Amino acid sequence: MTANRNSAPEKKLVPAPGGLPPRAFILNCFGRGGSNIVWNMIASSPDVLISSKEWHQGVFGGHARLRKTMRAAARHMDMSRLPGFAGCVARRTAETITPEAWTEKPEATAVALKVMGYHIVFAPAIEAGFSECRNAVLTRHPLPMCESLIRSGESETRVTKIYNDIAAYMAAMAKRDGTAMMRFEDLIADPAAFYRRLAAALGLTPPPDGRIRFMQKKFGAARTTQDHGGREVVRIGPDELRERIDANVNRDAVARLTPQQRDFIWRATRESALSLGYDETDF
């Protein structure tokens, strides 16, 4: 994990529109790539609230056509310059913070947002609503990542396009000052060490009891749809993460690919994988 530090003068922290805290930790990620684990890790800090929805769900709700239209526009322009858009985004985000979250952390100074996939393109508009932002990027090797998307019902051609498009956003984000780069592979290899490096990279205040948030849900082969129900959040010690995260999830995912699928995916995503530090020999 690496982080580029921003040496610019500190901004005056003022509340964001809608009553949001002045600071944001933004997790830029693939869907189905360990993001819920890392999102909850960030929100384990006593200073950080967690939104009740992923960023795009909170801001756009069920307006899929509007979301796609705005996303397409954001590829060609800085949406933070669109009059009123950044403020609207912040206010809609504020609505995803539950009263219970505020009750638990009334003195919180930051919010943890999960920005998935193509929505990373909205980064300037999200950042414009806060006095201070720290971006984290969670990457995953294309072979298991694409296998996971195939099980969601996407075609091989479609999943490689998705990977390439999102990886390009991630590679661009990696060049920005202050971005913390993380790998799903490091998370599953040693989750407690990953958490410690994450907290250090983002400057997170540790939870007083030393326990972190963990959302229990299906993963790997057991997960074939976007199962949004039955997700219990528990608090556990970092060393307990190893018992709850399958260290072989990537290897098992790649094993489910046929030789032909593996070859097609790697050839189609090779350049993107290399830009994120991955190689075919990882598997």
Side-chain angles (χ1 to χ4, degrees):
M1 185 187 318
T2 60
N4 300 315
R5 296 294 182 183
N6 192 339
S7 59
E10 293 186 7
K11 295 180 180 180
K12 181 180 179 181
L13 299 182
V14 296
L20 276 173
R23 302 162 57 231
F25 293 101
I26 305 171
L27 177 61
N28 303 274
C29 54
F30 290 104
R32 306 187 69 164
S35 56
N36 252 311
I37 299 173
V38 179
W39 189 26
N40 278 278
M41 283 180 172
I42 297 171
S44 298
S45 169
D47 301 329
V48 183
L49 300 171
I50 189 169
S51 57
S52 61
K53 299 178 181 180
E54 292 158 355
W55 181 83
H56 68 282
Q57 294 173 332
V59 172
F60 294 103
H63 302 289
R65 181 173 297 179
L66 172 63
R67 172 168 52 86
K68 292 179 180 179
T69 299
M70 298 299 287
R71 196 173 68 195
R75 294 177 60 187
H76 304 288
M77 66 175 291
D78 180 350
M79 297 299 284
S80 67
R81 298 184 178 183
L82 186 66
F85 185 71
C88 177
V89 163
R91 286 188 292 272
R92 292 282 292 177
T93 301
E95 294 172 3
T96 69
I97 308 300
T98 66
E100 292 77 15
W102 276 113
T103 299
E104 180 186 358
K105 300 177 181 179
E107 303 300 322
T109 60
V111 60
L113 305 177
K114 183 167 71 161
V115 181
M116 294 198 322
Y118 286 102
H119 304 102
I120 297 173
V121 75
F122 287 108
I126 299 173
E127 294 167 345
F130 296 89
S131 295
E132 179 181 298
C133 288
R134 287 299 307 278
N135 280 286
V137 175
L138 180 64
T139 66
R140 190 180 184 187
H141 192 285
L143 292 179
M145 186 68 249
C146 288
E147 188 276 337
S148 179
L149 295 175
I150 288 171
R151 277 189 287 110
S152 294
E154 300 284 1
S155 69
E156 294 163 24
T157 300
R158 173 64 178 162
V159 300
T160 56
K161 181 182 186 323
I162 292 172
Y163 189 92
N164 287 334
D165 290 346
I166 298 170
Y169 295 146
M170 290 179 165
M173 183 73 72
K175 298 176 181 178
R176 302 174 63 188
D177 288 341
T179 298
M181 297 298 296
M182 301 170 289
R183 290 162 53 106
F184 177 75
E185 291 70 23
D186 296 330
L187 170 64
I188 61 176
D190 191 338
F194 177 95
Y195 168 67
R196 289 191 293 270
R197 292 194 298 270
L198 170 69
L202 296 181
L204 299 173
T205 302
D209 61 359
R211 302 172 75 81
I212 62 176
R213 291 170 53 97
F214 181 81
M215 180 179 286
Q216 301 184 114
K217 65 174 188 173
K218 295 178 181 179
F219 63 93
R223 184 177 178 192
T224 56
T225 60
Q226 297 291 339
D227 60 317
H228 293 294
R231 298 179 172 191
E232 180 187 3
V233 175
V234 297
R235 294 188 67 85
I236 61 176
D239 292 335
E240 297 178 63
L241 287 167
R242 188 180 292 277
E243 302 170 8
R244 298 170 182 260
I245 298 176
D246 184 359
N248 297 316
V249 64
N250 267 0
R251 186 184 66 185
D252 293 345
V254 174
R256 288 190 289 269
L257 295 170
T258 66
Q260 293 78 15
Q261 287 177 315
R262 176 171 172 161
D263 181 64
F264 174 81
I265 291 170
W266 179 252
R267 284 189 291 105
T269 62
R270 180 178 180 276
E271 293 304 318
S272 296
L274 294 176
S275 74
L276 297 179
Y278 292 111
D279 191 87
E280 185 179 22
T281 57
D282 291 337
F283 292 97

mmCIF file of all heavy atoms in Angstrom, residues 14 85 127 174 246 256:
data_model
loop_
_atom_site.group_PDB
_atom_site.id
_atom_site.type_symbol
_atom_site.label_atom_id
_atom_site.label_comp_id
_atom_site.label_asym_id
_atom_site.label_seq_id
_atom_site.Cartn_x
_atom_site.Cartn_y
_atom_site.Cartn_z
ATOM 1 N N VAL A 14 -14.934 23.440 7.506
ATOM 2 C CA VAL A 14 -16.292 23.944 7.749
ATOM 3 C C VAL A 14 -17.265 22.833 7.370
ATOM 4 O O VAL A 14 -16.983 22.008 6.495
ATOM 5 C CB VAL A 14 -16.587 25.209 6.899
ATOM 6 C CG1 VAL A 14 -15.688 26.346 7.308
ATOM 7 C CG2 VAL A 14 -16.422 24.906 5.404
ATOM 8 N N PHE A 85 -24.366 21.562 -8.547
ATOM 9 C CA PHE A 85 -24.287 20.102 -8.535
ATOM 10 C C PHE A 85 -23.562 19.572 -7.306
ATOM 11 O O PHE A 85 -24.033 18.637 -6.649
ATOM 12 C CB PHE A 85 -23.599 19.594 -9.810
ATOM 13 C CG PHE A 85 -23.594 18.090 -9.930
ATOM 14 C CD1 PHE A 85 -24.762 17.412 -10.198
ATOM 15 C CD2 PHE A 85 -22.420 17.363 -9.768
ATOM 16 C CE1 PHE A 85 -24.772 16.024 -10.308
ATOM 17 C CE2 PHE A 85 -22.423 15.986 -9.884
ATOM 18 C CZ PHE A 85 -23.602 15.312 -10.151
ATOM 19 N N GLU A 127 -15.589 15.764 -4.001
ATOM 20 C CA GLU A 127 -14.579 16.483 -3.216
ATOM 21 C C GLU A 127 -14.958 17.941 -2.991
ATOM 22 O O GLU A 127 -14.632 18.526 -1.946
ATOM 23 C CB GLU A 127 -13.229 16.382 -3.915
ATOM 24 C CG GLU A 127 -12.669 14.966 -3.952
ATOM 25 C CD GLU A 127 -11.505 14.815 -4.910
ATOM 26 O OE1 GLU A 127 -11.309 15.709 -5.757
ATOM 27 O OE2 GLU A 127 -10.803 13.802 -4.824
ATOM 28 N N ALA A 174 -4.437 7.230 -8.832
ATOM 29 C CA ALA A 174 -3.184 6.887 -8.154
ATOM 30 C C ALA A 174 -2.128 7.970 -8.298
ATOM 31 O O ALA A 174 -1.231 8.091 -7.464
ATOM 32 C CB ALA A 174 -2.646 5.567 -8.692
ATOM 33 N N ASP A 246 -11.783 -15.413 3.604
ATOM 34 C CA ASP A 246 -11.198 -16.571 2.933
ATOM 35 C C ASP A 246 -9.939 -16.163 2.179
ATOM 36 O O ASP A 246 -10.016 -15.440 1.178
ATOM 37 C CB ASP A 246 -12.222 -17.181 1.982
ATOM 38 C CG ASP A 246 -11.737 -18.451 1.314
ATOM 39 O OD1 ASP A 246 -10.579 -18.863 1.568
ATOM 40 O OD2 ASP A 246 -12.508 -19.028 0.523
ATOM 41 N N ARG A 256 -12.269 -21.423 -11.168
ATOM 42 C CA ARG A 256 -13.579 -21.619 -11.798
ATOM 43 C C ARG A 256 -13.600 -21.183 -13.255
ATOM 44 O O ARG A 256 -14.555 -21.481 -13.988
ATOM 45 C CB ARG A 256 -14.653 -20.863 -10.998
ATOM 46 C CG ARG A 256 -14.978 -21.481 -9.653
ATOM 47 C CD ARG A 256 -16.210 -20.852 -9.020
ATOM 48 N NE ARG A 256 -15.976 -19.502 -8.558
ATOM 49 C CZ ARG A 256 -15.562 -19.182 -7.330
ATOM 50 N NH1 ARG A 256 -15.328 -20.148 -6.446
ATOM 51 N NH2 ARG A 256 -15.395 -17.930 -6.962
#
